Amino acid sequence: MKSRQENAEKLNLHDIHSINRAEGLRRLKAAVLSFAGVCALPWMLHRTESLGYTNSIASVFVFLFFYYMTKKALGKGFTGKWPGWIWPGFFGTAFSLCMVFGTQLDLWGSVPFTDGRMWVSIGILSVLFSLLTRRFWDAFGSLNGYGKNSVSGSMPKAKEQGGKKSRGIIFLRAGVILLCYVPVFLAVYPGFFVYDAQDELLQVVTRNFSTHHPLLHVLALGGIIQLVYKVTGSYNLGIACYTVIQMACMAGIFAWCVGKMENRGAAKWVRAALLLYFGLFPVPVMFSLCSAKDGLFTGMLLIMVVLLQELCEDVNGFFRKKGSVILFGIASVCMMLLRHNGFYGFLAFAPALVFYLRKEWKKVSFCLVLIIGIYVLTDAGLAGIFHADDSENQEMLTVPISQMARICAYEEVPLKEREILYGYLPKDAVGRYTPKVTDGVKISFNNDAYEADKKSFWKLWAKWGAKHPFGYLNAWFMTSYGFWYPDTVIDTYRGNTVFTYTYEDSSYFGYEVEEPGVRESKLPWLDEIYRKMSLEIAQQRIPVISMLFSPGFLFWVWIFCLGYLCYRKRWRAVLPFALPVLCWCTVILGPACLIRYVVFLWALLPAVLLTMLDTRPLHHE
């Protein structure tokens, strides 16, 4: 009996020693990884003096934070099957790459691809952020019913409100949002008439159309302004009329969206917060009052995503609601007509939607093919009716043009090869090359020469790319890194002079009233606030708040939320957001980083967050 007791005590002592050894090893791993992370962190920080970080007590606090978090992450549940690390690993690696690359681009204008220390740091940070991401996702997923109790109501599935009461609530909410817009409208009267607005108006005035800008928007903008001008003799009044119409449209779309969130179970405080967000947060407000096509494009995309959520939940139920099907079709066609890249995003999205809804593939395919057909016929019909010039190629060649201009400007290349490029891009255009924006170069692109000899252009592009691959990557990154790097200041147009001012430290928003419009502010103090947010480093000086205005930060919030849904295998919850993600992919191939191209990140953010918090199971999930 005594022998058994002694053996048991020895066994318990052995278990205690094993536990202590495991705990000690876990702490050692956490300490080593945390120290490595502290050493690697400067690669993703804006540091100009290394001692400012290495010889600072701040590094101690960073180490302690990393140690606490990694020790927790290396605890229970750390070990598991490798598929569980795919999505956290993808997020951690992608985030580390973008942060390190973005920092180098922001500081030096290029990424030092051959620097081994950078790659070691990226590897360390990737492990660290992957570990922390999985820890957070696991902890968040263990909060059973969190989404239901905090955001959603008690409804087990989406429930539609119908009839006059529903329409009345939408009008009431739209009125609240529109009322929030009124002070800003008075402050910036007649509205933000900017971003190619003058060019679009001139097309209508001169009857000389091109497909450089979407014709639907050209006709709507120019037609309304010119009509009011002929009646009243005031261009300002025409611009104001167009602005008010667009404000009403955007307010209606946002109000409708809030109603859809209510149908999905959003609590009262959430709906109230959404109304205030859409009505007061500067980014949605700016582009609701801006003549650029991006606001209406965002509205159409928002309608599509909300309806795609309903489609993915219940395919047959969605097609039984004719109003929803028609609205989806109209929004889809308008979205593609308002921005050319919307068509490419939709074209890539359609096969994925058909595949995931393959049990009802005939209905879905017919709907998508019909939408694409209507768009193609409408787009071609408008171009034909108004004899629009469609000879421009530079919009499609933005990235190759910037890459070749950078190599010609920064590298030693043979004179004969330079002469070939000058046949497509004049020498003075290449001399205007600036890393962050391609507009000054591509505006002089010789379309006739390109149409006559495309082969020589692409042959030279491929030859220079083989010799200078890192130069090509840096050229592309410099025009797009603001879309995926949170810490930069959007200063694409720094030094450029427009009608009434010169861009200085920031070009966050155009703010301009282009000719023939004139700014006639009724509330100068509020006008000054929007001017500072647009043209100065204002909100960027406020910690945390600055990130709410950052397209790079919004992008990573999106990826974090969608990554979590993928980690939880909520594929059909992710699917509707694949469309705006694809649109984002087309944006990074554009000429510059501007907020206007990704306004949808802000408009659709509530839908992304509520979907992440939603605990309701989807049909056939």
Side-chain angles (χ1 to χ4, degrees), residues 132-435:
L132 297 179
T133 298
R134 182 169 181 180
R135 169 66 182 176
F136 181 87
W137 284 350
D138 285 340
F140 184 81
S142 67
L143 299 175
N144 294 324
Y146 174 83
K148 179 184 292 185
N149 295 331
S150 299
V151 175
S152 301
S154 59
M155 292 184 291
K157 61 182 288 187
K159 186 186 296 183
E160 286 288 345
Q161 295 180 358
K164 295 182 179 179
K165 181 180 178 181
S166 176
R167 289 191 291 272
I169 293 174
I170 290 176
F171 280 113
L172 178 62
R173 288 172 176 154
V176 171
I177 296 174
L178 197 58
L179 194 61
C180 292
Y181 290 165
V182 170
V184 183
F185 172 67
L186 294 175
V188 301
Y189 184 88
F192 299 114
F193 188 64
V194 68
Y195 295 129
D196 305 314
Q198 184 190 69
D199 186 34
E200 292 188 43
L201 175 60
L202 283 176
Q203 287 192 36
V204 173
V205 173
T206 63
R207 301 292 193 272
N208 186 18
F209 296 94
S210 76
T211 56
H212 180 78
H213 304 295
L215 282 172
L216 178 66
H217 188 259
V218 169
L219 295 170
L221 174 70
I224 292 172
I225 294 174
Q226 189 66 4
L227 176 62
V228 175
Y229 171 73
K230 287 185 175 181
V231 174
T232 66
S234 170
Y235 274 115
N236 257 21
L237 192 57
I239 295 169
C241 286
Y242 176 82
T243 304
V244 169
I245 291 171
Q246 180 168 293
M247 286 164 52
C249 289
M250 295 302 295
I253 292 170
F254 290 145
W256 174 85
C257 176
V258 174
K260 288 295 183 180
M261 297 302 166
E262 179 181 10
N263 295 338
R264 296 179 65 83
K268 287 184 178 179
W269 72 267
V270 175
R271 302 196 297 271
L274 288 176
L275 286 177
L276 293 176
Y277 172 74
F278 288 129
L280 297 176
F281 192 73
V283 176
V285 173
M286 284 174 175
F287 286 92
S288 294
L289 276 69
C290 179
S291 62
K293 53 190 171 286
D294 309 284
L296 291 174
F297 170 85
T298 294
M300 296 301 109
L301 191 59
L302 176 59
I303 293 173
M304 292 177 68
V305 170
V306 171
L307 292 177
L308 281 169
Q309 288 182 310
E310 295 184 4
L311 174 63
C312 290
E313 283 196 352
D314 185 1
V315 180
N316 290 321
F318 178 80
F319 280 104
R320 283 195 294 269
K321 295 181 290 186
K322 293 183 179 179
S324 295
V325 176
I326 294 172
L327 180 60
F328 178 75
I330 293 173
S332 300
V333 172
C334 289
M335 185 272 292
M336 292 185 282
L337 288 172
L338 284 167
R339 278 258 292 266
H340 299 311
N341 65 308
F343 170 66
Y344 303 115
F346 189 85
L347 206 60
F349 172 74
L353 184 64
V354 173
F355 175 78
Y356 279 103
L357 301 179
R358 52 189 175 274
K359 290 184 179 180
E360 301 293 339
W361 70 272
K362 291 183 179 179
K363 290 181 180 179
V364 177
S365 298
F366 176 78
C367 180
L368 297 180
V369 170
L370 182 62
I371 288 171
I372 292 173
I374 293 173
Y375 159 74
V376 171
L377 290 175
T378 305
D379 190 51
L382 289 174
I385 292 171
F386 293 98
H387 306 287
D389 177 23
D390 61 352
S391 62
E392 293 186 352
N393 297 285
Q394 58 262 49
E395 294 302 318
M396 296 290 295
L397 301 175
T398 292
V399 173
I401 287 173
S402 67
Q403 290 171 332
M404 297 173 76
R406 183 184 180 96
I407 298 304
C408 191
Y410 290 177
E411 305 288 347
E412 291 292 334
V413 294
L415 182 59
K416 288 185 179 180
E417 294 179 1
R418 286 180 179 271
E419 293 298 332
I420 294 174
L421 178 63
Y422 293 156
Y424 301 98
L425 283 174
K427 187 176 181 178
D428 63 325
V430 176
R432 293 195 300 268
Y433 172 75
T434 53

Side-chain angles (χ1 to χ4, degrees), residues 449-514:
Y450 179 76
E451 290 293 339
D453 186 7
K454 295 180 182 179
K455 183 178 179 180
S456 295
F457 177 86
W458 288 110
K459 185 178 179 180
L460 182 63
W461 176 80
K463 185 176 182 179
W464 283 5
K467 289 182 179 179
H468 308 282
F470 296 148
Y472 270 26
L473 283 175
N474 281 320
W476 175 37
F477 288 164
M478 283 302 294
T479 58
S480 63
Y481 78 97
F483 292 128
W484 43 263
Y485 177 62
D487 298 357
T488 190
V489 172
I490 306 299
D491 60 351
T492 298
Y493 292 138
R494 182 192 292 266
N496 284 15
T497 299
V498 289
F499 292 98
T500 60
Y501 60 85
T502 298
Y503 285 104
E504 297 182 4
D505 293 332
S506 175
S507 50
Y508 189 83
F509 180 65
Y511 176 77
E512 179 71 282
V513 176
E514 295 182 1

Side-chain angles (χ1 to χ4, degrees), residues 114-134:
T114 57
D115 192 328
R117 296 172 303 167
M118 181 188 74
W119 293 106
V120 171
S121 297
I122 289 173
I124 294 170
L125 293 172
S126 297
V127 172
L128 186 62
F129 286 121
S130 299
L131 193 65
L132 297 179
T133 298
R134 182 169 181 180

Side-chain angles (χ1 to χ4, degrees), residues 95-114:
F95 181 73
S96 301
L97 276 169
C98 289
M99 287 302 298
V100 172
F101 283 7
T103 300
Q104 306 313 304
L105 292 164
D106 217 38
L107 287 173
W108 318 115
S110 63
V111 178
F113 289 102
T114 57

